[in-house]
Amino acid sequence: MAKNKSKAQKHKDVFKVAKSKNLKVKSKTKPVTSSLKKINIVNNEKVCKVNKAFSEVRKEVQNLSKDTSTSSKKPLQIPRSPPAEVLNMDATTQSFSQL
């Protein structure tokens, strides 16, 4: 039992003091050596090219839709033939009476 008492009597410290051995000397920060700016510039150029291409396609579609809308209106208007001679009822009744 004496052996168990000595182990139980040891007290662990709640707070630990930082030792000078654990402290490391920090070096200066170094700039990030990545090419993010280059990547962003390339991406922006690609986006501009695609936007230009789509704007051209949109203009072409608008022109085509205008052309089809004007041509589609023309067939819808049915040309009417000029009316034949206006019938004179008095003349027709006289011709029937002569028969």
Side-chain angles (χ1 to χ4, degrees):
M1 286 202 169
K3 291 181 182 178
N4 290 339
K5 283 185 180 180
S6 63
K7 287 183 181 176
Q9 289 178 352
K10 287 185 180 177
H11 184 54
K12 293 184 179 180
D13 295 333
V14 176
F15 301 105
K16 292 184 180 180
V17 178
K19 297 180 182 178
S20 60
K21 291 180 185 178
N22 291 339
L23 294 177
K24 295 182 180 179
V25 177
K26 294 184 179 180
S27 61
K28 286 188 173 182
T29 58
K30 297 178 182 178
V32 178
T33 57
S34 68
S35 58
L36 287 178
K37 288 185 180 180
K38 293 178 184 177
I39 292 172
N40 286 337
I41 291 170
V42 171
N43 286 343
N44 289 338
E45 289 174 357
K46 289 180 181 178
V47 167
C48 288
K49 287 179 184 178
V50 170
N51 284 340
K52 287 180 183 178
F54 279 122
S55 64
E56 290 175 6
V57 169
R58 183 176 51 85
K59 288 178 184 177
E60 290 176 9
V61 168
Q62 286 178 347
N63 289 337
L64 290 174
S65 65
K66 287 180 183 177
D67 292 340
T68 57
S69 65
T70 56
S71 64
S72 65
K73 288 181 182 177
K74 290 179 182 176
L76 292 177
Q77 296 176 351
I78 301 171
R80 295 185 182 182
S81 61
E85 298 177 8
V86 180
L87 299 176
N88 190 354
M89 293 302 288
D90 294 332
T92 54
T93 53
Q94 286 179 0
S95 63
F96 276 120
S97 66
Q98 291 175 358
L99 292 175

